């Protein structure tokens, strides 16, 4: 009986680390998946200048405020008139003019009047899916860059956005119409 008890005790001691290690491994995987999903869901707030200059593939440029952007097309509005263009007909959008800076609660706090960005480092994000750009109003949008940037690069951008806001300078659409290149410059809040 004493020998059987010693064998059972020894078996439990030897197998416990394996069972505990298995439990830790299985429990950590959902956490890693949740962190990766959360990483992709994090949004970078961006500001849009007052005027959007749209360059269609044919015809002359159109100027106004960007009031809608989706995989189907974009809408430019000016003086109670709106024009919608399919994305397949648009080369790029260049932004110019004043920019309103909003605080974390969404309140306007400061207007920047066409600052010279030549001394600032412009960020270029390529291959951004159209659906990753969510226009909140003609002055602000959010970008989900988790599929475009590494986790470290995204964390750097998000940490910079605590004290700065990225102002979109231009959006260029690729030939497929599914992705775009966004050029933006950080400006202190």
């Amino acid at each position: 009986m004493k020998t059987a008890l010693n064998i059972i005790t020894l078996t439990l001691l030897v197998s416990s680390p394996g069972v505990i290690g298995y439990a830790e491994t299985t429990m950590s995987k959902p956490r890693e998946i949740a962190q990766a999903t959360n990483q992709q869901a994090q949004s970078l707030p961006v500001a849009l200048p007052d005027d959007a200059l749209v360059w269609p593939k044919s015809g002359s440029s159109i100027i106004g405020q960007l009031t809608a952007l989706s995989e189907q097309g974009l809408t430019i509005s000016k003086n109670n008139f709106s024009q919608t263009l399919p994305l397949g007909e648009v080369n790029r959008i260049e932004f110019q003019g004043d920019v309103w800076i909003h605080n974390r609660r969404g309140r306007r706090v400061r207007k920047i009047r066409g600052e010279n960005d030549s001394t600032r480092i412009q960020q270029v994000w390529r291959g951004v899916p159209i659906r990753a750009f969510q226009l909140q109003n003609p002055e602000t949008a959010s970008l989900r860059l988790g599929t475009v940037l590494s986790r470290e690069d995204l964390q750097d951008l998000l940490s910079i956005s605590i004290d700065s806001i990225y102002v979109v300078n231009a959006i260029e659409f690729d030939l497929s119409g599914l992705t775009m290149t966004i050029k933006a410059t950080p400006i202190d809040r």
Side-chain angles (χ1 to χ4, degrees), residues 19-147:
V19 171
I20 292 169
Y22 175 76
E24 287 176 0
T25 303
T26 358
M27 290 177 70
S28 69
K29 284 185 181 178
R31 190 175 325 138
E32 291 170 5
I33 292 169
Q35 287 172 345
T37 304
N38 186 35
Q39 192 69 32
Q40 290 180 354
Q42 290 180 332
S43 295
L44 176 71
V46 295
L48 304 172
D50 285 339
D51 295 321
L53 184 61
V54 177
W55 293 94
K57 291 181 178 174
S58 61
S60 58
S61 62
I62 304 161
I63 194 163
Q65 281 191 317
L66 180 66
T67 54
L69 177 64
S70 70
E71 291 175 329
Q72 288 72 38
L74 61 82
T75 303
I76 295 294
S77 301
K78 187 169 186 167
N79 299 330
N80 296 325
F81 175 77
S82 293
Q83 184 172 357
T84 301
L85 297 169
L87 281 190
E89 294 179 14
V90 179
N91 277 330
R92 70 184 183 280
I93 306 170
E94 294 174 3
F95 292 92
Q96 54 194 352
D98 298 337
V99 178
W100 278 100
I101 303 298
H102 294 79
N103 65 13
R104 293 281 176 205
R105 295 184 189 121
R107 244 180 92 223
R108 287 178 164 184
V109 292
R110 185 165 61 108
K111 191 173 194 175
I112 299 171
R113 299 196 171 272
E115 287 187 4
N116 181 359
D117 295 330
S118 62
T119 60
R120 301 177 196 269
I121 298 173
Q122 186 180 63
Q123 294 287 318
V124 179
W125 304 305
R126 290 180 171 77
V128 177
I130 304 294
R131 65 183 174 278
F133 183 91
Q134 295 189 334
L135 188 65
Q136 296 164 344
N137 59 53
E139 298 172 349
T140 60
S142 64
L143 283 172
R144 289 186 321 273
L145 297 171
T147 59

Side-chain angles (χ1 to χ4, degrees), residues 167-178:
V167 176
V168 177
N169 305 112
I171 299 175
E172 298 171 3
F173 300 97
D174 73 351
L175 296 176
S176 73
L178 299 176

Side-chain angles (χ1 to χ4, degrees), residues 144-158:
R144 289 186 321 273
L145 297 171
T147 59
V148 178
L149 299 175
S150 70
R151 182 183 344 190
E152 294 80 23
D153 289 344
L154 181 57
Q155 286 304 318
D156 287 347
L157 287 178
L158 292 172

